[in-house]
Amino acid sequence: MSVFGVRIPMIALIQTLAVAEYLSFHRAAQALGTSQSSVSARIKALEADLGVVLFDRNTRGVRLTRAGHRFVDQVRDALGIIDHAIMTAGMQARGEDGDLRIGVHALTSDSILDRLFRRFYDEHPGIRLHITESTAREAQLMLRDGRLDLAFMACTHEIPDLHSRVIWHDRLMVALSVRHPLAAQQDVEWRQLAEETFLVRHGGTGPQVQGLILLRSAGKWLMPPLQRVDIGRTALLSMIASGHGISLFVEEGTAGRAANVIFLPISDEPETIAFSAVWSPQNRDPSLTKLLALASKLSSPRSKPDSR
């Protein structure tokens, strides 16, 4: 440790704290397993380097000077900070402390992601999760820039410079107003939705929803009307409830059901929707590995975990 260009041995500071605690050079030396002369010499050298007397010495014992009190308090605080830094560094290396920045398509109560994050916090309380909602394209850019550690995205992804793993699959549902003519049915078919106005969000899974509608209508019927809306999930459900249009959700996304909205499965939808975890291969944070392992473990019974 260096102060004003003077290099001070750490042992001198530790011995100073010991003398301040015991108010005795002899007992401090015994506690540290060294000689009294060594402790006395180091503290005298320290006082000379600092240009201040830390201890009053007399035949009755040792006591701290006013300057000594101030110095000892500050050294104790500084060593506490160093101890904490060393402990934190070790915890980070083991994936027990730190921050993880996660991108999601959406986060609803009691969904797979909600259960995953709550379980992860219970098992690793020292790791702080910072959640950001984004589209898949935005998340990929943020992963490359190091602004995200992990992103959960709808669909499978083969991205050359990123790693991905399918975590779960989910069934596609259509959201309708309870007053909609189709609301009384047990399920619907794609052809019944061909003339409906689909409400598609700019954010979240909006781009994937739009792509799926395009794919299912191609070569079969005219593209259904799309209304792009720059709103959140709650406002989207309110628009559906009011009869402004319909939209697509996965079954997990229907957990927090909304008033006057009904969710029906699409009987001729050929595939479940995959949801993937995506991350940079350059990110070797052990806490990321822990979260990925837990994500695969906690995927729903409908899921078919895949690994890369």
Side-chain angles (χ1 to χ4, degrees), residues 15 26-36 38-39:
Q15 290 179 344
H26 176 67
R27 285 192 292 162
Q30 283 184 321
L32 295 172
T34 188
S35 66
Q36 178 176 337
S38 173
V39 173

Side-chain angles (χ1 to χ4, degrees), residues 29-50:
Q30 283 184 321
L32 295 172
T34 188
S35 66
Q36 178 176 337
S37 60
S38 173
V39 173
S40 179
R42 283 192 186 278
I43 292 179
K44 282 184 178 179
L46 175 61
E47 290 175 323
D49 288 337
L50 296 175

Side-chain angles (χ1 to χ4, degrees), residues 176-245:
L176 309 160
S177 167
V178 293
R179 297 188 299 274
H180 194 284
L182 297 174
Q185 298 186 187
Q186 294 297 311
D187 54 39
V188 297
E189 296 179 359
W190 273 108
R191 62 176 179 80
Q192 295 176 286
L193 308 176
E195 296 183 3
E196 299 290 337
T197 297
F198 280 85
L199 303 176
V200 180
R201 294 173 59 200
H202 285 283
T205 56
Q208 284 83 13
V209 168
Q210 180 172 334
L212 183 61
I213 296 168
L214 284 168
L215 183 64
R216 296 295 178 258
S217 61
K220 298 175 183 177
W221 45 76
L222 292 176
M223 176 69 182
L226 298 181
Q227 181 179 343
R228 300 289 298 277
V229 289
D230 191 12
I231 56 178
R233 181 182 183 277
T234 301
L236 176 62
L237 289 170
S238 295
M239 289 187 68
I240 295 169
S242 299
H244 293 289

Side-chain angles (χ1 to χ4, degrees), residues 4-305:
F4 299 121
V6 177
R7 187 166 296 278
I8 297 175
M10 183 67 73
I11 186 62
L13 301 178
I14 293 172
Q15 290 179 344
T16 299
L17 293 181
V19 174
E21 179 181 354
Y22 291 102
L23 293 179
S24 165
F25 284 91
H26 176 67
R27 285 192 292 162
Q30 283 184 321
L32 295 172
T34 188
S35 66
Q36 178 176 337
S37 60
S38 173
V39 173
S40 179
R42 283 192 186 278
I43 292 179
K44 282 184 178 179
L46 175 61
E47 290 175 323
D49 288 337
L50 296 175
V52 65
V53 176
L54 301 175
F55 296 97
D56 282 333
R57 305 158 174 85
N58 54 52
T59 55
R60 294 189 300 275
V62 177
R63 67 182 182 86
L64 283 163
T65 63
R66 179 177 296 181
H69 272 293
R70 186 179 301 112
F71 180 77
V72 165
D73 287 343
Q74 292 175 344
V75 168
R76 190 177 287 122
D77 290 343
L79 291 182
I81 292 172
I82 293 172
D83 285 343
H84 179 73
I86 293 171
M87 180 183 68
T88 300
M91 291 177 68
Q92 287 179 331
R94 296 188 297 272
E96 298 171 3
D97 183 84
D99 297 86
L100 276 179
R101 299 154 300 172
I102 302 169
V104 300
H105 56 277
L107 186 60
T108 56
S109 177
D110 205 37
S111 63
I112 287 177
L113 289 180
D114 182 46
R115 295 194 299 272
L116 168 64
F117 296 153
R118 284 191 278 117
R119 174 72 175 272
F120 188 80
Y121 177 77
D122 289 341
E123 294 186 5
H124 308 284
I127 302 173
R128 295 163 293 280
L129 302 180
H130 304 275
I131 312 299
T132 300
E133 184 176 306
S134 65
T135 65
R137 182 177 180 277
E138 291 168 343
Q140 290 178 39
L141 294 174
M142 295 171 75
L143 286 167
R144 293 188 180 101
D145 291 344
R147 289 177 288 152
L148 286 180
D149 296 296
L150 179 67
F152 291 95
M153 306 179 189
C155 304
T156 57
H157 295 270
E158 294 294 333
I159 309 168
D161 60 335
L162 297 174
H163 282 182
S164 65
R165 178 186 302 169
V166 174
I167 302 298
W168 79 93
H169 290 77
D170 210 346
R171 184 168 63 158
L172 191 67
M173 311 284 281
V174 61
L176 309 160
S177 167
V178 293
R179 297 188 299 274
H180 194 284
L182 297 174
Q185 298 186 187
Q186 294 297 311
D187 54 39
V188 297
E189 296 179 359
W190 273 108
R191 62 176 179 80
Q192 295 176 286
L193 308 176
E195 296 183 3
E196 299 290 337
T197 297
F198 280 85
L199 303 176
V200 180
R201 294 173 59 200
H202 285 283
T205 56
Q208 284 83 13
V209 168
Q210 180 172 334
L212 183 61
I213 296 168
L214 284 168
L215 183 64
R216 296 295 178 258
S217 61
K220 298 175 183 177
W221 45 76
L222 292 176
M223 176 69 182
L226 298 181
Q227 181 179 343
R228 300 289 298 277
V229 289
D230 191 12
I231 56 178
R233 181 182 183 277
T234 301
L236 176 62
L237 289 170
S238 295
M239 289 187 68
I240 295 169
S242 299
H244 293 289
I246 67 175
S247 194
L248 299 178
F249 290 81
V250 289
E251 191 167 3
E252 272 288 316
T254 69
R257 293 182 177 265
N260 299 319
V261 175
I262 189 167
F263 297 91
L264 299 178
I266 302 175
S267 60
D268 58 342
E269 170 55 34
E271 302 174 359
T272 55
I273 306 299
F275 286 86
S276 303
V278 182
W279 69 99
S280 169
Q282 298 176 359
N283 191 332
R284 292 179 171 81
D285 189 331
S287 58
L288 171 60
T289 303
K290 292 176 186 290
L291 182 57
L292 284 168
L294 186 59
S296 295
K297 180 180 177 182
L298 291 188
S299 55
S300 70
R302 290 189 300 279
S303 70
K304 301 173 184 177

